[in-house]
Each structure stands twice: as structure tokens, then as C-alpha cells.
Amino acid sequence: MLRLSKLTDYATVILSFMAKNNERVCAAMELATATGIALPTVSKILKALVNAKVLISTRGAKGGYALATVPEKITVATIISALEGPIAVTECSISQQGCEQAAGCNISGHWNVINLAIYNALESVTLADMIKPQETLIPIASLYRLENHHVSQ
Amino acid sequence: MLRLSKLTDYATVILSFMAKNNERVCAAMELATATGIALPTVSKILKALVNAKVLISTRGAKGGYALATVPEKITVATIISALEGPIAVTECSISQQGCEQAAGCNISGHWNVINLAIYNALESVTLADMIKPQETLIPIASLYRLENHHVSQ
DNA sequence: TTTAAATAGGACTAAAATAGTCCCCAATTA
DNA sequence: TAATTGGGGACTATTTTAGTCCTATTTAAA
């Protein structure tokens, strides 16, 4: 299904909330309450986002988290990478030493093309876009193409 | 990491082999031998591809599997959908009834934009492309952007 | 008509990845 | 110095994925 993890999904919810309160420093507890996500989970996500330099943290009383930059500069690609590592659809795209199927497989170059296309798509949407009211909502009809290919497995 | 399943990866290897032997009907056993993937696993993948109408099967002695159409018409998006279901990065993109975070989350429309971008990328590469010798190999340098965002988690 | 070869379908087990929780430490402020 | 807040990492539980196996069905050929 080519799915993102739940944690990544949560991260966008948390970051969206923070973007709307742009100036403020938010404590993990506050974010947990605001989003309805359990505190330990929120903490885990925030730590990953700090490591990826998406957020800046302040320790101690009155501490908390704040966006490291403006929402316009935080891309979806960055958020996904922060929680899931590099964006690559196959293992062999990451480890440079090719796969065990080397005999039958010489298609890694093509996966790279696909990776790049996906990366560009993810890089083109920012946190600022995500908190916009959905004027840009796309017509339902165009989504049916996605469903057409579903096969119960 | 936004990763495809191993089975999907195997499927591209199997289909690539078949595309190169275009005319022939291949038995599961033959494909297992050619690709080095275990027979039961190959079988499972072939069944899914038949369900998705990517392959046509013939039962009985001298039976086997053949491509349902020319490699030019089999897209990566179709192959992925066959093994993993619809291409959608978040749960809420699939079930139309929104998520539990409804209060804090009104970004599903934006996920849909992302889904569509990814889908288009996957739809633009065909099985025929994948079996081409890699004249189109992209420069290593352009991939470094992907790695930059890696964060150990 | 029988036998062998092959797929269909689904149940089942094993392995791996993900999600979620918890604890103890470090830093900051009042 | 006490209270508050994040940092880091270990740990458990859950879910998903991978992989195997069994039985039925179909077909070609002996």
C-alpha cells in the first residue's frame, strides 16, 4: 500500500498544530492534549523531529518545542525522513551494494528514477500548504483512478 | 522509509524475466529457478498478479503464466497495486470516513494531492522501461539529496 | 481412462517491523 | 533546592509481512 507509518501521520498533525501557534513554545504535554495522542508517543515523535532539526527544544521549566523555521520551509519530505529514514521504495536503493537477486535483477537504476519522482512530489508540499484551508481540494473524481487498482489479497 | 514490500520487489523481478521471454508461458517452478525465489513465494505472487489481471494463467499440464499484455502497458503502479492494494500513503486516504483525529486534522485533502503525485510517478514507468538496459541511469550525485535527510532513529 | 503436471484458494506459522510505554538522567527556572 | 520539562534508550506488545503447506481443480498426454 506504500503506506506511511502512523507516527509520521501523527507528526503532521502535531506540526500542523504548532504551525498555527507559530510564535509559541509548546510543551509535549500541551501537544498531547491538543491532538489527543498519548503523551509518550508525542514525546517520541518530538524527539525525532528535534534530531532532524525540524524542531528546536528548550529544556527545563517553561521549556518545550518550537518550529526551527517557518512552515513554508518545512517540507513533507523532511517530515517523512525525520521519522522513517531516507525516502526509498526498495532496500537495494539504500544499500549501494545491490541485492542478492543480482543475477536476475538489473533494474535498480529504474527504482532510483521512481524514488526521485516520489521525492520531488513530497518535497513540493510544505507544512504551510497543509494548514491552508482546503481551497485546493481536488475533485473526488480524480481519485477514483487510485481505487481502480485495488485487489483484495 | 515509504518502502515497498519484498513481495512487490520480487514481482518486478519475476515480471522482468517474463517480459524478456515474452511469447512463452512460464510455469511457477521455472520462474522460481530462474529468479532464485522460493517456489511457494513465487506462487503466491503469481496468484496475486493473475487476480490483478497482469498475468493470465493456464491450468493443467503444460500450463503456466503469461503476461496479459505487452510490457509497455504494464505500469509500476499496477504491479504495486496488485500486491499491496491501493496506492495511498495514509489510512485516512482510503477509508472515506476520515480519521479519529478529526478535531485536530483537516489535512486529508493535502494527502490526496501527495497520493496523486506519487501515483502519477509510478504510473509513468512501465515494465518495458524496467527491462531496458540502463542508458537512463541517473547520476549518483542527484541521489545524495535523498540521503541527506536520514536520521538514525 | 488414468496419471502426471500444473494452477487456485485459503489456512497457517514464523519473522520482522511498528507502535507504544516506561524509566532514569540532564537542564532550567522560580 | 524543588518543580518542571526535555534527552536517551530499553523494553513490551501489537500488527504486518513473509513464507509455507495442504487440498481441490483443471488439463494434457500416455
Side-chain angles (χ1 to χ4, degrees):
Chain A
M1 204 194 299
L2 202 78
R3 198 170 47 199
L4 295 178
S5 71
K6 275 193 185 184
L7 295 185
T8 303
D9 204 357
Y10 293 162
T12 62
V13 174
I14 293 169
L15 289 171
S16 293
F17 176 85
M18 294 181 76
K20 289 176 196 163
N21 296 272
N22 211 352
E23 314 302 329
R24 296 205 5 257
V25 167
C26 301
M29 185 62 199
E30 178 188 355
L31 293 167
T33 304
T35 60
I37 303 165
L39 176 60
T41 302
V42 170
S43 264
K44 185 177 189 175
I45 293 164
L46 292 171
K47 288 170 195 172
L49 292 170
V50 168
N51 282 335
K53 301 202 182 2
V54 173
L55 296 179
I56 290 173
S57 65
T58 318
R59 285 192 178 192
K62 306 277 177 184
Y65 298 89
L67 297 182
T69 180
V70 293
E72 285 75 13
K73 288 189 184 167
I74 300 175
T75 69
V76 171
T78 303
I79 298 169
I80 293 175
S81 305
L83 283 130
E84 310 190 25
I87 293 167
V89 295
T90 54
E91 276 303 337
C92 63
S93 311
I94 296 172
S95 68
Q96 307 290 359
Q97 46 241 19
C99 59
E100 312 100 54
Q101 258 75 37
C105 170
N106 57 349
I107 57 185
S108 63
H110 299 290
W111 281 128
N112 286 339
V113 173
I114 292 170
N115 282 335
L116 206 51
I118 290 177
Y119 182 79
N120 287 334
L122 295 173
E123 184 75 7
S124 71
V125 180
T126 71
L127 187 54
D129 294 325
M130 296 198 102
I131 62 174
K132 276 182 203 157
Q134 300 185 20
E135 333 133 340
T136 57
L137 198 64
I138 57 176
I140 297 286
S142 68
L143 280 172
Y144 275 80
R145 298 178 64 200
L146 301 179
E147 301 290 345
N148 281 344
H149 294 266
H150 177 62
V151 167
S152 67
Q153 55 177 359
Chain B
M1 202 194 300
L2 201 78
R3 197 170 49 200
L4 293 178
S5 71
K6 275 194 186 183
L7 295 185
T8 303
D9 204 356
Y10 293 162
T12 62
V13 174
I14 293 169
L15 289 170
S16 294
F17 176 85
M18 294 180 76
K20 290 175 195 163
N21 298 271
N22 209 351
E23 314 301 328
R24 292 200 14 252
V25 167
C26 301
M29 186 62 199
E30 180 188 354
L31 293 167
T33 304
T35 60
I37 303 166
L39 177 59
T41 302
V42 169
S43 264
K44 186 179 187 173
I45 293 164
L46 292 171
K47 287 170 194 171
L49 291 170
V50 168
N51 282 334
K53 301 201 181 9
V54 173
L55 296 179
I56 291 174
S57 65
T58 317
R59 285 192 174 192
K62 307 278 176 182
Y65 299 88
L67 297 182
T69 180
V70 293
E72 285 75 13
K73 288 189 183 166
I74 300 175
T75 70
V76 172
T78 304
I79 299 169
I80 294 175
S81 305
L83 284 131
E84 310 190 25
I87 293 167
V89 295
T90 53
E91 276 302 337
C92 63
S93 310
I94 297 173
S95 68
Q96 307 289 359
Q97 47 242 17
C99 59
E100 313 98 54
Q101 258 74 35
C105 169
N106 57 348
I107 57 185
S108 63
H110 300 288
W111 281 127
N112 286 339
V113 172
I114 292 168
N115 282 334
L116 206 52
I118 291 176
Y119 182 81
N120 287 335
L122 296 173
E123 184 75 7
S124 71
V125 181
T126 71
L127 187 54
D129 294 326
M130 297 199 102
I131 62 174
K132 277 182 201 156
Q134 300 185 20
E135 332 134 339
T136 57
L137 199 63
I138 56 176
I140 298 286
S142 68
L143 282 173
Y144 275 81
R145 299 177 63 201
L146 301 179
E147 300 291 343
N148 281 344
H149 295 266
H150 177 61
V151 167
S152 67
Q153 55 176 0

